[in-house]
Amino acid sequence: MCSSHATVRGLLHELPTGDLDVVVVDNEASPEHLSRSTTEAVDVMLVVAEPYFKSLETARRYAGLGKDLGIANVVVVANKVRGEDDLSAIQGFCDSHDLKLLGAVPFDETLAQAERSGVPPLEHDPGAPSVRAVEGLVEHILRLAAA
Amino acid sequence: MKVSVSGKGGSGKTTISGTLARLIGRSGKRVLAVDADSNPNLALTLGLSTGSYDLINPLPHGLMEHRRVNGEVQVSLSRPVEELTQDYAVNCPDNVSLLVLGPPGGAGTG
């Protein structure tokens, strides 16, 4: 097994520990973190999906791999949603593939500005719609993990 | 509790993971953010200043060891996980610390 995947896998089996409460893992785009069981030991797997076919197809595939690994809570988070049409397209896709849509983060011009200037979203504008949407996810995620 | 964030390239994984980690941290929990991307970028979203990127000491590869227990081979971390977070995690704002996985050694080495 590729050593970096093995290391993350080993870490996740033994974390969180001591004075840590929550571990958040930002994975690479490649599905290797799933096909190599790197992230099997998590409580919640968020699959970020944009409202276009290739992104949704990827989300469906990743969610399937996550479920195969036995992850209890595999959920989709819609991102860069530009309105009702986008949201209903994602919701429809999730419904027809038995995926749970946890929430939606809107397309946010302030976020694009933050990215351009290399400033974290939270420093750029803590009240931005996208930041507020992520804030809304926190409670959902904590509740999922506690269930 | 452990949360993993996946998705297609460019979908916004890093922005969502980093912002999520900080907002969970602001709620009073102590958060470890793990950058498992071989092209690590999470530090910026976590609010670490570019000047302190030099402080990031990526987790070395090859921390797993094979042990034979009752005739069965078991694979586990060769060092206690507390020791690893102590030695390699960097403190970020909002109750978050960051652990970066070592990037590949260089082009053509993986």
Side-chain angles (χ1 to χ4, degrees):
Chain A
M1 182 186 280
C2 170
S3 68
S4 60
H5 285 275
T7 303
V8 178
R9 188 179 181 203
L11 271 175
L12 283 175
H13 273 279
E14 296 186 30
L15 285 168
T17 179
D19 55 359
L20 290 167
D21 302 309
V22 180
V23 180
V24 177
V25 189
D26 183 23
N27 290 293
E28 57 187 343
S30 142
E32 272 189 279
H33 62 283
L34 297 160
S35 58
R36 292 176 186 271
S37 309
T38 312
T39 56
E40 63 185 352
V42 298
D43 305 291
V44 181
M45 172 180 168
L46 299 183
V47 189
V48 181
E50 290 179 74
Y52 67 95
F53 185 73
K54 279 191 267 185
S55 184
L56 288 164
E57 266 301 295
T58 304
R60 183 184 63 75
R61 220 173 301 130
Y62 285 15
L65 290 167
K67 287 179 184 174
D68 288 348
L69 288 179
I71 298 171
N73 301 288
V74 179
V75 293
V76 175
V77 171
N79 195 21
K80 304 181 199 173
V81 172
R82 288 176 192 262
E84 277 307 311
D85 286 355
D86 277 355
L87 189 58
S88 59
I90 292 183
Q91 185 68 68
F93 187 90
C94 288
D95 290 347
S96 59
H97 293 96
D98 199 22
L99 298 170
K100 183 182 160 76
L101 180 62
L102 190 73
V105 179
F107 178 85
D108 189 348
E109 186 49 43
T110 57
L111 199 62
Q113 286 165 13
E115 299 279 4
R116 274 195 295 272
S117 47
V119 177
L122 269 182
E123 268 80 28
H124 185 79
D125 181 3
S130 55
V131 173
R132 287 191 175 275
V134 176
E135 213 162 1
L137 293 175
V138 172
E139 200 183 324
H140 284 304
I141 292 166
L142 295 178
R143 211 180 303 143
L144 271 183
Chain B
M1 170 198 145
K2 289 168 272 189
V3 182
S4 143
V5 184
S6 305
K8 197 173 180 305
S11 60
K13 283 183 299 297
T14 301
T15 305
I16 289 184
S17 326
T19 307
L20 187 69
R22 295 180 69 177
L23 291 170
I24 295 175
R26 284 185 184 184
S27 79
K29 298 197 182 296
R30 288 152 303 184
V31 182
L32 178 72
V34 179
D35 193 342
D37 195 335
S38 51
N39 177 27
N41 277 313
L42 188 57
L44 175 72
T45 311
L46 290 178
L48 212 61
S49 66
T50 46
S52 50
Y53 282 13
D54 287 348
L55 299 176
I56 299 176
N57 192 8
L59 204 64
H61 292 173
L63 282 170
M64 303 303 285
E65 65 182 13
H66 295 73
R67 256 182 301 207
R68 198 170 275 279
V69 180
N70 298 329
E72 268 184 48
V73 178
Q74 289 186 351
V75 184
S76 57
L77 289 172
S78 55
R79 290 177 61 190
V81 71
E82 292 88 352
E83 212 179 279
L84 293 174
T85 52
Q86 225 160 54
D87 288 357
Y88 294 99
V90 184
N91 286 327
C92 301
D94 301 318
N95 258 340
V96 178
S97 54
L98 167 67
L99 199 57
V100 176
L101 201 71
T109 59

